[in-house]
Amino acid sequence: MKRSDFWYDLPEELIAQTPAEPRNSSRLMCVDRESGEISHDRFYNLCSHLKKGDLLVMNDSRVLPARLYGEKEGTGSFIEFLLLEQKGDKVWEILVRPGKKAKPGTKFSFGNGRLKAEILETVEGGNRIAKFECEGNFFTALEDVGQMPLPPYITKKLEDKERYQTVYSHELGSAAAPTAGLHFTKEMLEELHEKGINTAFVTLHVGLGTFRPVKEDDVKGHKMHSEHYQLPKETAELINKTKAEGGRVIAVGTTSCRTLESVASFNNGEIKEAEGYTDIFIYPGYKFKVLDGLITNFHLPESTLIMLVSAFMGYDNTMNAYKVAVEEKYRFFSFGDAMIIL
């Protein structure tokens, strides 16, 4: 299976630069997983596509405002940090631009000194390890000073930081939003419960590896970035109860899907309380162990995410759905429209 098999032509104007207002007004493409049949709706009508006893599994990870703009102490020259992964108390692996300014021992200041950092070492791939210092809580200072790490294809400034968070985000730690969840409003969550549709949460902290392009011509040669996940006991119990009672388990987003399938893969198909790291790569030929449905956005050509969708919905159905989405002028990527596959 070649990377180029997952290419499609996308006019640049279909890349959503701003979120839909209100959140749940985005369009919803509905695809029958078996037949490939497509219909069109709006996200606020999601309940009409679900049944009593269904379970939506959502990723409650919250995005860190992980992009920092500051200056080099002593010279005042510009620097940009992007926090990737916490390595210890106020110690982070980071991306730095321009890298030549960030030699070990160099110090930087952000937000007029609200946050300060010193480069400790350079690691594999050119990333740096930095030690931060601040008055009070580090994450509070980061909320004050940091910017949302929007994907490179979004060039417009985000006016409201909360629009790149789901309304149910809780566990701070992602470098990118689990974007399928951006369409939900608090009122919609209440409506789901009123109609007997359950919700449960997992946490998968999305790394920047989610944007890493597949460079290998043979898809199987691609190595996924490892990400931390947690599946709580109450979620495991709800999933098992739903399955036992004939309900459907529907993942909200590829991150929730990868969490569920990872836990099942690590436990001989069984879902139970679990925490760890996963680098699971789902592409056509994968046999799903948990999923009965998927809510997702429209993903980049040749990305691991469109490959995951193809594994679930079938390659031909997927490429046809994307062709229709372009023809119908759906909005694409993080702030774009949604698809439900059942």
Side-chain angles (χ1 to χ4, degrees), residues 150-163:
L150 293 178
Y153 48 74
I154 294 176
T155 55
K156 287 198 176 174
K157 188 174 187 298
L158 184 64
E159 298 302 326
D160 176 8
K161 278 201 246 191
E162 279 303 306
R163 291 303 276 107

Side-chain angles (χ1 to χ4, degrees), residues 1-8 217 219 302 306 315 319:
M1 185 160 285
K2 300 289 183 205
R3 179 187 68 199
S4 57
D5 292 338
F6 297 91
W7 176 259
Y8 66 91
D217 285 333
V219 164
E302 299 184 343
I306 193 173
Y315 174 79
M319 300 315 287

